[in-house]
Amino acid sequence: MTSYEKYVFILCLIVFTLLTLVFSCMLATVTKQGLRLIRAGAEDKRIYTEYLRSVRRGKKKTGWLKRIITVFFALLLIAVFSVTIYMQITENKQTTEIPALRVVQSESMSDKYEKNTYLFENDLNDQFSRFDVVVTYQLPKEEDLKLYDIVVYEVDDVLLIHRIVGIEEPNKNHPDERWFVLQGDLVERADKFPVRYEQMKAIYRGERIPYVGSFILFLQSPAGYLCLILIAVEMIASPLMTKKLDKAEKERLEVIKEAIYKSR
């Protein structure tokens, strides 16, 4: 983790702590105020009206529905968190038999540059844009890579996704390996240095999910993780508050019903 990343993480942690404290104070205040109003009788009319309405319509058990919705969102949150963690862990690793998801962070493959005539001549229409999520697969053997394949490769600790536009077979300069020339479809010139097979991580076969990459990148940031934690805290705290208020309303309803019975 770089100094800047540490700074961002600490800053987000401070903001998250403050937000959690503010949220907890607000939730406690709202709950306390709600309980006070219910016990003082300020909510009697509403409580009794809702009771009569439920009696007329017949008691419907909505508890299971609320639980199902809560469980659904909890599982969705866990799934999003798990996918985000998995993508971050596997980002710099070579793709195995299990396909990997990668976020595109460059526009170099977003369109066809008019001077790259091979794109038009070979009807190559598998471009992708920045912030698309692409599905990448395990690399084939070195000898099976062919012209115009799109591969993920690493240069100076940076991952790129470009197209193979040239292959230099083994010769006296590199007798034991092929060298690959790569280029972005929207770029006028090929990459400055040829790429070796050992630099490659995966191959792209045309499958992508558009536009969701920016959301994934945010979730992979410290701020994103802290937001997920804050949502989880809210999902735990809110039902507890609702449960307390519901219990107080039921107790107050018994008092109201008893008072009505005595007045008759």
Side-chain angles (χ1 to χ4, degrees):
M1 186 179 288
T2 64
S3 300
Y4 177 74
E5 289 174 333
K6 290 179 181 177
Y7 165 76
V8 171
F9 178 77
I10 293 172
L11 182 63
C12 290
L13 186 60
I14 293 172
V15 173
F16 169 74
T17 304
L18 292 175
L19 286 174
T20 303
L21 289 173
V22 171
F23 175 76
S24 300
C25 291
M26 288 178 60
L27 195 62
T29 302
V30 170
T31 304
K32 195 173 181 179
Q33 184 66 24
L35 291 172
R36 186 181 296 137
L37 291 172
I38 291 170
R39 289 165 182 168
E43 297 290 319
D44 285 1
K45 184 177 180 180
R46 178 186 62 80
I47 293 171
Y48 193 66
T49 301
E50 289 180 357
Y51 165 71
L52 293 176
R53 191 178 300 156
S54 67
V55 170
R56 284 196 298 268
R57 294 180 178 177
K59 292 183 179 179
K60 296 180 180 179
K61 295 183 178 180
T62 58
W64 285 107
L65 179 60
K66 291 180 180 178
R67 289 177 187 175
I68 290 172
I69 293 173
T70 301
V71 170
F72 170 77
F73 280 106
L75 292 175
L76 181 63
L77 186 66
I78 292 171
V80 170
F81 183 75
S82 301
V83 170
T84 302
I85 291 291
Y86 175 76
M87 288 180 64
Q88 196 162 31
I89 291 174
T90 59
E91 183 178 14
N92 294 318
K93 293 184 178 180
Q94 194 168 48
T95 302
T96 59
E97 294 179 358
I98 302 174
L101 302 176
R102 301 175 191 271
V103 178
V104 179
Q105 301 187 46
S106 169
E107 289 286 357
S108 60
M109 288 289 295
S110 61
D111 204 351
K112 299 179 181 181
Y113 183 62
E114 58 183 10
K115 291 186 178 180
N116 294 336
T117 55
Y118 56 88
L119 297 171
F120 303 94
E121 292 169 355
N122 294 279
D123 197 26
L124 301 174
N125 300 309
D126 48 359
Q127 287 75 30
F128 44 83
S129 301
R130 187 181 185 187
F131 299 135
D132 285 357
V133 173
V134 295
V135 184
T136 60
Y137 293 87
Q138 185 175 21
L139 276 172
K141 294 180 181 179
E142 183 177 357
E143 58 270 19
D144 292 333
L145 283 174
K146 59 186 184 298
L147 207 60
Y148 307 133
D149 282 342
I150 298 176
V151 295
V152 181
Y153 61 103
E154 186 176 6
V155 178
D156 297 330
D157 297 325
V158 177
L159 286 180
L160 301 171
I161 310 179
H162 283 170
R163 191 184 303 276
I164 297 174
V165 296
I167 301 176
E168 190 175 325
E169 299 297 339
N171 54 45
K172 62 179 181 179
N173 295 322
H174 47 94
D176 300 321
E177 60 184 359
R178 306 166 92 194
W179 281 4
F180 300 88
V181 180
L182 288 109
Q183 181 176 344
D185 288 357
L186 194 57
V187 180
E188 184 177 1
R189 295 183 179 84
D191 294 356
K192 187 175 182 181
F193 298 104
V195 175
R196 300 187 304 277
Y197 182 76
E198 62 187 30
Q199 294 175 251
M200 298 180 182
K201 304 291 183 182
I203 188 169
Y204 170 67
R205 300 192 184 280
E207 299 172 25
R208 66 188 180 97
I209 308 170
Y211 311 124
V212 301
S214 54
F215 176 68
I216 296 294
L217 290 177
F218 170 73
L219 291 181
Q220 290 178 342
S221 69
Y225 287 130
L226 295 178
C227 283
L228 287 174
I229 295 172
L230 187 60
I231 293 171
V233 170
E234 194 278 334
M235 290 180 67
I236 295 171
S238 184
L240 293 176
M241 179 190 76
T242 303
K243 189 176 181 180
K244 282 188 177 182
L245 293 174
D246 287 346
K247 183 180 178 182
E249 287 187 3
K250 287 179 182 178
E251 292 174 353
R252 186 62 191 174
L253 179 60
E254 294 302 318
V255 174
I256 297 169
K257 288 163 71 175
E258 186 177 350
I260 293 173
Y261 177 76
K262 287 181 179 180
S263 66
R264 290 178 178 177

